[in-house]
Amino acid sequence: MATRGAEQGRTDGRSDDEIRPIRLHAGVLNNAHGSAYIEWGKNKIMVGVYGPRRPSRQELLRSDRALVRCTYNMAPFSVSDRKRPGRDRRSLEISKVLSEALTNAVLVERFPRTVIDVNVEVLEADAGTRCAALTAASVALADAGLQMRDLVSACAVGVVDGRIVLDPSRDEDNFGDGDMPVGILPSSGEIVLLQMDGALGPDQFGAALDLGVEACRRIHALQRDALLVRYGPERASRIEKPHFSGYEDTDNIIMDDEADPPVWGEEAIR
Amino acid sequence: MATRGAEQGRTDGRSDDEIRPIRLHAGVLNNAHGSAYIEWGKNKIMVGVYGPRRPSRQELLRSDRALVRCTYNMAPFSVSDRKRPGRDRRSLEISKVLSEALTNAVLVERFPRTVIDVNVEVLEADAGTRCAALTAASVALADAGLQMRDLVSACAVGVVDGRIVLDPSRDEDNFGDGDMPVGILPSSGEIVLLQMDGALGPDQFGAALDLGVEACRRIHALQRDALLVRYGPERASRIEKPHFSGYEDTDNIIMDDEADPPVWGEEAIR
Amino acid sequence: MATRGAEQGRTDGRSDDEIRPIRLHAGVLNNAHGSAYIEWGKNKIMVGVYGPRRPSRQELLRSDRALVRCTYNMAPFSVSDRKRPGRDRRSLEISKVLSEALTNAVLVERFPRTVIDVNVEVLEADAGTRCAALTAASVALADAGLQMRDLVSACAVGVVDGRIVLDPSRDEDNFGDGDMPVGILPSSGEIVLLQMDGALGPDQFGAALDLGVEACRRIHALQRDALLVRYGPERASRIEKPHFSGYEDTDNIIMDDEADPPVWGEEAIR
Amino acid sequence: MSRDPETIMRSQMVRDLIGTGRRRDHRSLGQMRPLVVETGIIAQADGSARVRLGGTELVVGVKLMPANPYPDHPDEGVMHTGIRLSPLASPSFDRDLDVEATEIARVVDRGIRHSGMIDMKRLCISPGERVWGLYLDIHVLDHDGNLFDASTLGIVLSLRGLAFPNSRFGMGEDSPVPLGEMPVTLTFAKVAGELILDPTAEEEGVSDGRITMTIDPRGWVRAVQLGGCGHFTPEEVKRAHQLARSSAEVVRGSLR
Amino acid sequence: MSRDPETIMRSQMVRDLIGTGRRRDHRSLGQMRPLVVETGIIAQADGSARVRLGGTELVVGVKLMPANPYPDHPDEGVMHTGIRLSPLASPSFDRDLDVEATEIARVVDRGIRHSGMIDMKRLCISPGERVWGLYLDIHVLDHDGNLFDASTLGIVLSLRGLAFPNSRFGMGEDSPVPLGEMPVTLTFAKVAGELILDPTAEEEGVSDGRITMTIDPRGWVRAVQLGGCGHFTPEEVKRAHQLARSSAEVVRGSLR
Amino acid sequence: MSRDPETIMRSQMVRDLIGTGRRRDHRSLGQMRPLVVETGIIAQADGSARVRLGGTELVVGVKLMPANPYPDHPDEGVMHTGIRLSPLASPSFDRDLDVEATEIARVVDRGIRHSGMIDMKRLCISPGERVWGLYLDIHVLDHDGNLFDASTLGIVLSLRGLAFPNSRFGMGEDSPVPLGEMPVTLTFAKVAGELILDPTAEEEGVSDGRITMTIDPRGWVRAVQLGGCGHFTPEEVKRAHQLARSSAEVVRGSLR
C-alpha cells in the first residue's frame, strides 16, 4: 500500500494508511464478567460483558445457541451537542450490526438458551466508534472467559479528496466522501462487519476493502497484546483500572490510590 | 327511500342513496392466512388475517373463546398532511369497535385460548375508512377459512344540509352535519357497528338507521361476489394480486408480469 | 415548643407550630379493599389499597415478603398549570419513598409472593402532599384489614425567614428556605420518611426534626380517630362517602342522596 | 380471564332476574341509580364537579389555558377530553387500559362537542394566533359501571358558571364563558333481550352489548356508540333512542 | 424460536439445492424474481409506487412538506425514510420489529442520499429558515425476502416526476423537483457457499449472511451493508460487488 | 428475588461483623473507601471527571448550552441532572431502573442546587429570553454501592474551572462560571444497629435503611434523603447529621 502522507494533507498529519494511537486494556471493570476499555484517537469506550445468563424475557431465547445482544449507547456528553439520553435509530442499527458480527466470534452453540450481553458505552466519540467498540467488545468477551472461535478486529476506511485513507478522523468523516467500517475474524480472514456510505469508484472498492482488512490485522496484534498483559505469563493479578487520557497537557489525575489513601472521617467518627 | 339526487348538489354528483364505486377482492396476500383488498371511492385498504394462533402474551387469552384483535393503522401518506406513524387515539378507538363488531361474526367459541389478528392498513383515506375496513375485514376472515356466523357489512350515513345521504364523501364528512357508520350481520339484520356524531333530529335518526341497514345489504352482495370469484365454481387457483387504481387517467402499470418477466442479471451473473 | 405566631407573619395567620385543618376519613371507596380520603389545608387526596394479591408480572415478587407498591399520581387539574397526565420524575421519586416508608408499617413477611398496591390520587395539591398521602395511605392499609406493625404518621417542617415552622403552606414552600417532610412509626418513634432540601443550620436540624416528630404524634391522633369512627363501638355500618369541601362559602352540594333520590326516567320508561 | 363456577352462576342469576324485569339492586329496568353531585370542589381548577351515580364515583376538573389554534381552524378554541381510570377505582384496572379510556374520552368528547354547549369560535382570542384551550379531565375513583353517563354529567356540571381566567394570564378581567344547553348521555345495556338503563359493572359484565346516546335539549341525537361486542336489532336501537330521549328530559329537569 | 424437525429438513433441502446451483422457485442463482410496478396510486401522496418483487409486495408514498432545516445544514432540505413492517405482511411480524425496520430504513436511506439522486440543496426554500421536508414512507404488505431492493426501487419510482407542491402551501405554482440518476440496490445471500441474488424469505432464513449494495449509474458503490450474522471472504465481497454492478445495469435498463 | 442459603449466610456474616465494629474490607465503620479522581477527561464536555470510590466508578460530563428559561423563573438558568445506570455496571442493572436512577439524580440535584454552589441567576443570558442550560450527566461504570456520594463528588469536580462556552455559540469570549463553595454528600447505612459510612453494594443489601445528607461548607444541611425501607430513631438521624458534618469537613479538606 503506497502512502501519500501528510504533505497531501490529512488534517492530523497522518499518512494515508496510518491508524490513530490506540490504548486497549482488558479486565477493567469489577462487576462485569468481562470488560475492556479502549482509547482510539479521542474515542473513549468502555465495554462490559455479562453472560451467558438467562434473561427475564424468555421469548428471546434460541434453543440451539446463545443470543449475543449488544447494546451500543452514547453518553450525553460524548459528542459536541449534548445527546438526549436513550436509544435512537443510529444506536439501534449499530447495536444490531455489532451483535451480528460478534455472534460469528463466540461459540454460541455451546450456550443454548442463554443470552450474552455486550454493553458498549461511548464516553467520548471521535469518528470510528463502531470499529473501536467492536475491537474492544471481542476483547471483553475473551476476558469473560467465553469460548470463542476468534476475536473480531475492526477498522474503518475513508475516502477523502478521492484518496483512500485509513481510520478517518472526525473531520475526515464529516467532510469526506465515504466511510467504510470493516471488521474481520483475523484467523480466517472472513469479513463480519461491513458497512459503507458515500462514494467508492468501481476500482476503489476492492482496494479500500483490502486496506481495511490489512488494518484489521494490525488491530488484532493490539488485541492480543491487551489479552497477554492480562492473561499472559506476567498476568495481572487483579482488575486494573487504567487512567483515562486527559485532553490537556496538564496532569488530570488529581487524587490517586498510589498515594497513601486518605482515611476520611476515620478519627472524626470513631 | 326517496332520492333527491345530484340536482340538489352532492359534490360528486351522486344521488342521496348512492354508494361510491367499490372494488373488493378476496385472497390478495401471500403470507396472510386470509386477506382482502378494497377500493371504496378513493379509499384503498388492505386487510390481512392471521389466526387462530397463540399470542406471545398469554395473559390476553380467554379460556372460552378466541380473542379477535383488530389493528387499524393509517399509512403516513394516506392523508393530506403526512400522518406521524404509530397509534393514536382515533386508531385505538376504531381498532376497538372493529374488533367488537367482528367478534360477533366469527364463531369465537370454537377457538378458545387463541387470538385472531385482523390487520387493517389504510393506504389511502377518503372518508368512510372504518366501514370499508370492516367490510373488507370480514371477507378476509372468510378467506382465512374461519368458521363464521355471518359476514359484517358496513356503510356510513351522513347528514348534509339537513338531508340524509348515503356514504358521505370526504367533503361531505368534513362540512356535513353528521356521520353515522352502520355495520350489520346481514343474515340476522342485527347491528354490530354503530357510531354517530353530529346532529340527527328525533325523526331523522330512525330513517338514517334504516337507510344504513339497507345499504349494508347492498354491500353484502359485493362481499358475496368477491368470495364467489375466489371460492366459487370458477375459483381462482391462486392468490390474485389485483392492480391498484391509479389516480390519473394514464396507465399506472409501468411493468407487469403479464408480459414476459425480464430476467434481470441472469446472463450477467451466470 | 415556643410559638411566635401570626404577628411575625405566617401568611395564613397560623402560629409556627400549628398544623392546617385536617379532615380524614377511612373507608370511602366501594371497590378498593381499603381506602381513605384526606383534606389537609387545601390538599384533597384519595387513597385506595388493593392486596395482598398476585400481580401479572411475576418477576416483581419477593419470596419472603409482600411488595408494597405505592403509585402517587396527580390529577391534571390538581395544580395551577394543568399537569400533563402520566408519570414524571417527581411522582416516581415520591412513589418510591412512600412505598419504602409503608413497607415498614405492614407486616410484609406475612404475605410472601404478593403485591399490595397503594394508589394515591392527588385531586388538589397545596404543599405537603406526600405527608398527607402517607398519613392517609396507612389508614387505607389499616382499612384494608392488613396486619400492620404500626401506622405511619407524617408532617412537614419548613424554614421561613430563618424560622422553623410546621406544615408549610404552598406560599411558604415556594418562597421559604427549606422543606423537610418527616414520617414516623408512632409506637416506636422511628423515622421512616425523611427528605429535606433547602438550608438548615447545624443547630436547626435537630430542632426541626424534633418538631416534625412531635407533629407526627398529633397526626397519629387524627388517624386513630378516623379508624375509630369506622371501626369503633359505633362503627359505620357501610362505606361512608364524605362530602368534599368546596372552595367557596356557598353550598357546593347541588344534589344529595339524603333527600329522596329522584327516580329518573322511571315513569318515562316503564 | 378464566371464569370460575361461582362467577358463571352469579352471571346467570343476574340475567335470569333481568329476564323477569327485575335487577339485583331493586331498580326497575329503566331506572337510574341515585345521584349525588358536588361542584366547585377544586380551587385550582376553573370548574369542577364530583359525581356519584350509585357506586360509580368520579371527579371532573376543567382548565382554561391559552393555546395555539389548529392551522385548519384558526378561529376556534381547542378542546381536549381526558380520562384517568385510576387503579384505585376497580380491581380490574390493574392493567393497561388505554383502549377503554380512549373510547370513553372520545365518545364523551363527541357528545359535548357536537351538542353545541360550547361554541368553539367563542374560545378564540386572536384568530390564527391564540385561542383558549379547554381541558376536560375526568378522574374515576370508584367504578361500578356506566362511566359514559357519569362523565358527561360531570363535565356539563363543571362547565356551568365557567369564566375565562383572563386575569390569571394578564388579559384583563375574567368574563363568563357563554354556554349553550346541556347534553345528557344515556347508556343502555342489553341483557336477556332487555334494554336496561344505567347498568352497573356487574350488569355490564353479563350484557350482550352496550349502546350510548347523547341527546341535546331539542331531543336531537348528538353522539352514538355501540360497544361491548354488542348486537342490536334496528328495533332495539330505535327503542333505545326513544328511551334515551325521554330519560334525558327527566335528567335535565332534575338538574335545573 | 425452537426449530422442529420438518423445518430443519426443509432448510437442509434448500441449502443442498443451492449447493447444486438451483433454487426452489427454479431461478438460477443470479436471477431476480419477476417484478410488477404500479405508480401514481395514492392521490394524496406527492409520489407513490407499488412494487411486487416475486412474493414481496410493498407500497411507497412520498410527501413534500415545508420543514425547518437542521442548524448545521441551513441550506439543505431534510429527508426522512421510514418503513412499516405491517403485521399483515408476515406471521413473523407479530412482535417488536424496531431493530429490523430501522436497519432497512437506514440502509435504503443512505443509498438514496449518497447516490445524489436528490440534491438536498435544491430542497432549500429560504436558507436557515424554511426547507422542504421529503418524507419517504415504505409500507410492506407481503414479505417474501429482500425488502432492501424492493424498497429502493419503490422510492426511486415514487420520486420520478415528483413536483414541489408549492400551490398546496400558497407558494406559487408547482414546479418539478430536479432529480439525478437512479440508484439500484442489490442484495445477495450466502447459502451453501454460493452468492444468490434477490433471496426469498426462506433463502434468507437458511443463509450465512446477507450483503446489500447500492450502485449508482456510474457504477460507483453508494452504500453497503453486511448483515444476518454474515461472514464473507474478501473475495466473496468483491464478487458480490462485480455481480451487483452488472445486475444494476440490467435493472436500470429494464426500468427506463 | 428468592434468596439462596449461601446469600442468607453471607448476609448474616456481614451483619455480625459490623455488629462487632468491623467490615469485610477491613474499614472501620466511619471510614470511606480509597478515592481516585481524574478530571478533564472528556474533550467534548465543558467539564468532566471520573470518580472511583472503592469499587464504585463513574464518569460525569457537564455541558453548557443556550436554553429557554422557565416562565416562572425568567432570569435564571436551567439545570438538569441525569444518571445512567449502565447495564455494564452491575448484574442487577439488567432491568428497568427508572425509579432508582430518578431518586439518585433528584437527590444529588437537590444537594447541588440548594448548596448555592451555582447561582442560577448568573446563568442568565437575556432575562425571559435566553439562559444557560447546565446539563450534569452521571454515567455509572461499576456499581459497588454509595452512588449518591460519588455522584455529588463527580459533579462538583466537573464544575471546577467551568467556563461559559460563549465562543462556541458566537457570543464572544469564554468566561469563567462563578462558583460557590462545594457541597459534600455523605451516605450512611444502618446495619446491625450501627451507622456505617460509605456502604458497599453488599452492605447496602443487608442494611435496614440508608440516610444521605448533603452538607455545605458552613456545615448547613442542604439535602436529606432516607431510603431503602429505612427506619431510624431520631437519635440515629441526629448522630448521622453530626458524623456527616465532620466527615464533610475532612472530605472537603482532602480535595482542596
Side-chain angles (χ1 to χ4, degrees), chain C residues 29-31 44 50 73 79-80 82 121 124-125 170 241-244 247 252 254-255 263-264 266 269, chain D residues 28 31 35 37-41 43-44 50 52 57 63 84 86 88-89 137 139 142-143 247 254:
Chain C
L29 295 176
N30 300 306
N31 284 323
K44 286 190 172 70
Y50 287 92
N73 181 67
V79 284
S80 174
R82 178 175 183 266
E121 297 290 344
E124 178 142 27
R170 186 147 48 118
K241 295 267 186 182
H243 291 300
F244 285 15
Y247 60 90
N252 66 307
I254 68 172
M255 175 170 297
V263 180
W264 297 342
E266 172 69 332
I269 289 175
Chain D
S28 63
Q31 190 177 359
L35 183 78
V37 176
E38 301 165 42
T39 57
I41 52 173
Q44 303 199 52
R50 177 197 192 191
R52 289 193 270 145
E57 174 174 357
K63 289 258 188 196
R84 173 164 169 87
S86 168
L88 63 68
D137 285 295
H139 217 85
D142 238 336
H143 168 47
S247 303
S254 308

Side-chain angles (χ1 to χ4, degrees), chain B residues 15-53:
Chain B
S15 63
D16 285 0
D17 63 351
E18 189 176 345
I19 300 172
R20 288 171 291 176
I22 296 176
R23 293 175 58 204
L24 175 57
H25 298 269
V28 296
L29 294 177
N30 300 306
N31 284 323
H33 300 160
S35 57
Y37 172 68
I38 193 165
E39 292 184 1
W40 181 321
K42 287 176 188 157
N43 291 302
K44 287 190 172 68
I45 298 173
M46 186 70 80
V47 182
V49 168
Y50 287 93
R53 62 178 174 179

Side-chain angles (χ1 to χ4, degrees), chain F residues 111-131:
Chain F
I112 299 290
R113 197 180 289 272
H114 290 287
S115 72
M117 186 177 183
I118 297 156
D119 181 350
M120 300 305 283
K121 289 192 194 298
R122 305 293 288 267
L123 301 187
C124 182
I125 300 171
S126 168
E129 293 182 356
R130 212 75 184 136
V131 297

Side-chain angles (χ1 to χ4, degrees), chain A residues 30 79 121 125 241 264 266, chain F residues 28 44 57 63 86 139 142:
Chain A
N30 300 306
V79 285
E121 297 290 344
K241 294 269 184 181
W264 297 341
E266 172 70 332
Chain F
S28 64
Q44 303 198 53
E57 174 174 357
K63 289 258 190 197
S86 168
H139 217 84
D142 238 335

Side-chain angles (χ1 to χ4, degrees), chain E residues 73-214:
Chain E
H73 294 279
D75 60 342
E76 297 187 5
V78 297
M79 176 173 132
H80 173 88
T81 303
I83 187 165
R84 174 165 166 87
L85 303 181
S86 167
L88 63 67
S90 168
S92 71
F93 288 179
D94 178 30
R95 55 194 177 88
D96 183 15
L97 294 160
D98 279 2
V99 175
E100 285 78 3
T102 299
E103 183 184 27
I104 299 171
R106 285 178 58 87
V107 169
V108 168
D109 181 281
R110 287 198 288 263
I112 300 290
R113 196 179 289 271
H114 291 286
S115 72
M117 186 176 183
I118 297 157
D119 182 349
M120 298 305 284
K121 289 192 193 300
R122 306 293 288 267
L123 301 188
C124 183
I125 300 171
S126 167
E129 292 181 359
R130 213 76 185 134
V131 298
W132 285 105
L134 177 61
Y135 299 89
L136 313 172
D137 284 294
I138 305 157
H139 216 85
V140 179
L141 297 176
D142 238 336
H143 168 47
D144 190 19
N146 196 10
L147 297 175
F148 292 93
D149 301 6
S151 293
T152 298
L153 262 172
I155 289 174
V156 163
L157 295 168
S158 295
L159 290 174
R160 283 189 174 183
L162 188 68
F164 292 116
N166 295 313
S167 58
R168 196 162 77 233
F169 298 99
M171 292 159 53
E173 289 195 4
D174 293 359
S175 56
V177 176
L179 292 178
E181 291 282 330
M182 66 179 262
V184 178
T185 296
L186 283 312
T187 292
F188 301 87
K190 178 176 171 182
V191 181
E194 301 282 346
L195 293 179
I196 58 173
L197 183 62
D198 181 24
T200 63
E202 185 179 63
E203 290 167 343
E204 288 179 347
V206 304
S207 80
D208 301 313
R210 183 196 74 229
I211 189 161
T212 296
M213 296 193 178
T214 299

Side-chain angles (χ1 to χ4, degrees), chain D residues 17 23 31 36 78 84 93 98 129 133 147 164 183 185 195-196 217 237 250-251 254:
Chain D
L17 201 62
R23 300 167 81 167
Q31 190 177 359
V36 185
V78 297
R84 173 164 169 87
F93 287 178
D98 279 4
E129 292 183 357
L147 296 175
F164 292 117
T185 296
L195 294 179
I196 58 173
V237 172
V250 180
V251 172
S254 308

